Amino acid sequence: MTSLLTRVKSKMSIFAHRKARGILDGEYGSVFRGRSLDFDDLRAYVPGDEVRDIDWKASARHGSPLIKRYVAVRRQTLMLIADTGRNMAAGSRDGEPKKDIAVMALGVMAYLAHRHGDVVGLVCGDAFGSRTIPAKAGEAHLERLLQEVHSRASLDSGPSRLEEQLRHVARTVKGRNLLFVVADELAADPGLEQVLRRLRAQHEILWLTIRDAHLAGAGPAEDAFSVVDASPLPSRIAESSGVAAAYATATAGRDAGRHAMLRSVGISEGRVANSQEVMTELFALLERHRRAG
């Protein structure tokens, strides 16, 4: 069996030649900084310190800025949340299978957590139910998680409904964790927003969207079909510029609605169309999340 984690690590090594891996490690480590750490003491502010770490009340009493210092909790928990329904068996914006992009993204985050001494778990599934693999350490465990996602996302899977996995997390995952969600281009929905608000009150959440294929880029008409019900896409529809324009407009509206929903609940979103974009977009996503905090 091909090692998915080895493939992920190889791509990370290539990326490290162009951008220092330490920067990406630092961005991952900053996600929990000042949030899930135990308070230690106060010290004088020095240029370069994070403004958000200033204890304003103590500073007012002291007469000069004081910074809160924290003792790091030795081990954090990263929970990977993945849609493994039929939607993830489809092609992405650039034609690559969505599940391959998902495995790359999940693998990068999981390996970053492993390098920081954190434990990693997984919740995946479809509209019919969710499966949880408890958080553990070790590369063999990470490989198991990636193989689980890769093998479950197929045309034989149930319909995709990520809200089911998120509600499962809300019911079963205790404590304060970092949730990394990988999904396709979902539409904003009141039920989805409700469960996200509940989760965001307890956890840190990062969201990565894998872009859907263009209607015009679905491939030869005889090969184009819907992963939802396997129905073919007639060539006159696939080749219609009017239908393609309407589809693009609807897609833009769906994207705007989802982005607004995520922003309203305090969740940073990244978007990728292929696995080559994963490293750069994750770096940007972690940085946006840190700045927003």
Side-chain angles (χ1 to χ4, degrees):
M1 180 183 296
T2 302
S3 170
L4 297 176
L5 183 61
T6 298
R7 196 179 306 169
V8 167
K9 289 163 63 177
S10 296
K11 290 190 176 182
M12 289 181 72
S13 296
I14 294 172
F15 177 85
H17 290 303
R18 298 194 302 270
K19 189 182 294 289
R21 180 184 294 171
I23 298 176
L24 187 58
D25 281 335
E27 289 295 341
Y28 173 86
S30 72
V31 170
F32 281 111
R33 187 171 182 270
R35 296 179 175 91
S36 299
L37 310 184
D38 292 333
F39 175 75
D40 184 20
D41 61 8
L42 298 168
R43 67 162 172 78
Y45 173 87
V46 296
D49 284 335
E50 292 280 355
V51 174
R52 67 181 177 181
D53 288 339
I54 295 177
D55 187 323
W56 295 105
K57 291 184 178 179
S59 298
R61 291 193 300 268
H62 187 263
S64 62
L66 295 174
I67 292 291
K68 296 177 183 178
R69 293 201 298 186
Y70 298 88
V71 177
V73 176
R74 293 191 64 183
R75 181 166 288 185
Q76 305 290 350
T77 299
L78 169 68
M79 289 300 297
L80 308 175
I81 316 299
D83 170 15
T84 51
R86 283 199 293 267
N87 284 8
M88 279 300 175
S92 71
R93 179 67 54 94
D94 288 352
E96 187 177 357
K98 285 185 179 180
K99 72 175 183 179
D100 289 352
I101 304 173
V103 165
M104 179 63 187
L106 295 166
V108 169
M109 283 296 291
Y111 189 62
L112 285 173
H114 168 72
R115 285 170 57 86
H116 279 257
D118 295 342
V119 292
V120 185
L122 170 71
V123 172
C124 65
D126 52 35
F128 297 145
S130 300
R131 169 168 166 72
T132 299
I133 298 181
K136 291 175 56 179
E139 292 194 11
H141 175 69
L142 300 189
E143 178 68 24
R144 178 191 175 196
L145 302 185
L146 298 183
Q147 291 289 349
E148 185 76 12
V149 172
H150 192 268
S151 63
R152 280 181 167 264
S154 72
L155 293 176
D156 295 326
S157 302
S160 291
R161 190 169 183 266
L162 188 65
E163 186 179 330
E164 165 63 28
Q165 282 70 64
L166 295 173
R167 292 194 180 280
H168 179 80
V169 171
R171 291 192 304 267
T172 63
V173 176
K174 308 303 180 185
R176 184 170 180 82
N177 306 305
L178 172 60
L179 309 183
F180 179 52
V181 182
V182 175
D184 69 340
E185 294 184 343
L186 298 180
D189 175 84
L192 178 59
E193 181 174 350
Q194 179 187 51
V195 70
L196 286 176
R197 287 190 184 280
R198 178 179 172 185
L199 288 170
R200 184 64 184 87
Q202 179 181 351
H203 306 284
E204 298 286 341
I205 305 177
L206 297 170
W207 190 288
L208 188 70
T209 294
I210 300 177
R211 306 305 304 269
D212 285 342
H214 284 296
L215 183 63
E222 64 270 17
D223 296 331
F225 64 94
S226 167
V227 296
V228 175
D229 56 11
S231 59
L233 181 63
S235 60
R236 63 181 179 276
I237 294 179
E239 297 168 1
S240 169
S241 59
V243 171
Y247 179 81
T249 299
T251 298
R254 180 185 61 194
D255 286 350
R258 180 185 64 255
H259 187 66
M261 176 189 68
L262 293 174
R263 185 175 55 202
S264 73
V265 298
I267 297 175
S268 299
E269 179 191 18
R271 304 177 190 179
V272 293
N274 58 64
S275 59
Q276 299 303 317
E277 297 176 349
V278 165
M279 292 289 293
T280 302
E281 186 59 20
L282 282 182
F283 175 83
L285 177 59
L286 287 164
E287 185 174 29
R288 285 196 299 273
H289 181 81
R290 175 178 60 81
R291 290 174 183 249

